[in-house]
């Protein structure tokens, strides 16, 4: 199993957080619990060999081979599996407010959803599906999809500086910036910020803050640090350990100690180390 990263085009760097390629001769390891956890990003998935099946919120969704799919921001885990055969897919993760200027679709319509791009984006989506899977190499596929995203971005005026500022503040503080502080610094009410975030990001500022706070500890787990070595750091970000346990379980499906000691999730681990 291999997860490799490609460099986003400079013109897309304000919108694309990561471009990655997953390849395996035998799909996802069936003995692993493979879980995709919330990271605040929406995602474009392009399976070019084998299909990937995800289960989230009780719904089973299939990313079929030679399709293209848009996955909105998630606030809970998605459990992944494949058939045990050669597998390859390209993934593009967008900054929390990076997808809306490119696609122009209200992000609230995509939250916690797995959508075929031809259904979501009509003719453009169908053309991308038809052309990208006719390309032979992975590098060609990556180059083509980035060029298509750049074409959609050119001339877009859908960027919102208030949302950009708030997301940057929340990320820089590891999700610890109070929403009241964002109200004060922007001059907008919490209700209005919620409306802006739902449109541009897909979820309100409070949810993005929770995801960023969780990601701080998920990144530590990805480095294979024992849970006991960072447990005390929890109190800087959470009211107490009970609060942390509740939030961690909501994001991963597991209590933190069980996740740390008993969940392999090698795909998720490698994907987080970009």
């Amino acid at each position: 199993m291999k997860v490799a990263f490609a460099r986003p085009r400079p013109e897309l760097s304000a919108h694309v957080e990561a471009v990655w390629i997953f390849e395996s001769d035998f799909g996802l390891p069936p003995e692993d619990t493979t879980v995709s956890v919330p990271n605040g990003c929406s995602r474009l998935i392009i399976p070019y060999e084998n299909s990937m099946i995800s289960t989230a919120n009780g719904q089973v969704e299939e990313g079929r081979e030679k399709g293209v799919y848009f996955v909105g921001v998630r606030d809970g885990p998605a459990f992944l599996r494949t058939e045990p055969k050669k597998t390859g897919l390209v993934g593009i993760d967008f900054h929390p407010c990076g997808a809306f200027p490119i696609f122009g679709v209200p992000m609230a319509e995509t939250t916690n959803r797995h959508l075929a791009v031809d259904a979501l984006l009509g003719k453009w989506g169908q053309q991308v599906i038809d052309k990208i899977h006719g390309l032979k190499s992975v590098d060609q596929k990556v180059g083509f999809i980035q060029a298509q995203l750049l074409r959609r971005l050119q001339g877009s005026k859908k960027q919102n500086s208030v949302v950009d500022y708030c997301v940057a503040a929340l990320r820089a503080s590891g999700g610890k910036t109070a929403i009241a502080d964002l109200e004060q610094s922007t001059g907008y009410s919490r209700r209005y910020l919620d409306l802006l975030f739902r449109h541009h990001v897909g979820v309100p500022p409070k949810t993005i803050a929770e995801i960023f706070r969780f990601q701080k500890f998920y990144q530590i787990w990805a480095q294979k640090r024992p849970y006991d070595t960072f447990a005390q750091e929890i109190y800087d970000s959470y009211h107490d350990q009970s609060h942390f346990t509740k939030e961690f379980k909501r994001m991963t499906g597991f209590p933190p100690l069980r996740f740390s000691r008993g969940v392999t999730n090698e795909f998720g681990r490698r994907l987080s180390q970009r």
Side-chain angles (χ1 to χ4, degrees), residues 218-239:
Y218 185 74
Q219 292 296 324
I220 294 173
W221 166 83
Q223 296 165 16
K224 298 188 177 182
R225 277 180 56 186
Y227 178 75
D228 294 343
T229 67
F230 64 86
Q232 290 302 314
E233 298 177 40
I234 292 166
Y235 296 103
D236 291 337
S237 300
Y238 294 87
H239 299 310

Side-chain angles (χ1 to χ4, degrees), residues 22 42 51 83 88 100-101 106 112 139 141 153-154 158 171 202 224 243 260-261 264:
F22 168 71
S42 52
S51 299
E83 293 294 321
F100 178 68
N112 289 319
D139 286 346
K141 295 177 193 296
L153 180 61
Q154 289 171 343
K158 297 182 184 298
R171 175 168 272 175
K224 298 188 177 182
H243 180 210
S260 181
R261 294 179 177 175
T264 308

